Amino acid sequence: MMVFSAFRRNLLLAMMIGIPAIALAETAAPPNAVVYFINLKDGDTVASPFKVQFGLSGMGVAPAGVEKANTGHHHLLIDATLSAEELKQPIASDAKHVHFGGGQTEATVTLPPGQHTLQLVLGDWTHLPFNPPILSPVITVTVK
Ligand SMILES: [Cu+2]
């Protein structure tokens, strides 16, 4: 983290003195970080509202706005995925891109009947996906 803080300071300095910045300062993903659904799997049928538990290994959860090494916070994508371009930007915040900036590790989700896709994306303290992105598989659930 010291390294990344220094990197961001240097990036800011570079911007202030007019050197073009190549990219936003994405946080490097810890090598073994994995995000996953604990209690749901692809093909499950659920009754709304339903609980979704967010699993994370290889790093820790911290609230948004807290810069702490090897931590991030969960985002739940509902019937949405992120394009390569979106994976380099702060994650949108709307009904399909839900932030858990308090450091929550589960949520109760209400969805209309039918098939829906769910995916977890870990964001850094500034809501940017890591590089490379830390994504769960996309799962499809059927809401009764
Ligand atoms: Cu966020």
Side-chain angles (χ1 to χ4, degrees):
M1 187 47 69
M2 296 284 287
V3 171
F4 293 112
S5 297
F7 176 71
R8 285 187 181 182
R9 272 196 300 277
N10 290 342
L11 186 69
L12 190 63
L13 186 66
M15 291 189 295
M16 285 190 302
I17 63 178
I19 299 169
I22 297 163
L24 287 172
E26 293 169 89
T27 302
N32 300 314
V34 179
V35 67
Y36 56 96
F37 292 104
I38 293 173
N39 65 324
L40 291 175
K41 62 181 189 304
D42 190 44
D44 277 354
T45 296
V46 296
S48 183
F50 58 98
K51 185 182 278 193
V52 183
Q53 295 174 305
F54 317 140
L56 179 65
S57 66
M59 61 188 297
V61 173
V66 176
E67 187 178 13
K68 188 169 174 235
N70 297 323
T71 66
H73 64 278
H74 288 286
H75 302 81
L76 179 64
L77 306 185
I78 302 170
D79 297 325
T81 55
L82 297 178
S83 68
E85 206 48 49
E86 288 171 324
L87 284 168
K88 296 175 185 165
Q89 300 164 10
I91 298 163
S93 185
D94 56 34
K96 294 186 167 197
H97 305 77
V98 186
H99 291 242
F100 296 92
Q104 302 95 315
T105 55
E106 65 175 49
T108 299
V109 175
T110 302
L111 287 174
Q115 286 200 333
H116 299 278
T117 65
L118 301 173
Q119 185 178 31
L120 291 169
V121 183
L122 207 73
D124 75 3
W125 64 293
T126 65
H127 312 279
L128 262 177
F130 286 79
N131 184 12
I134 303 171
L135 302 165
S136 77
V138 176
I139 65 170
T140 299
V141 299
T142 300
V143 176
K144 284 192 284 196

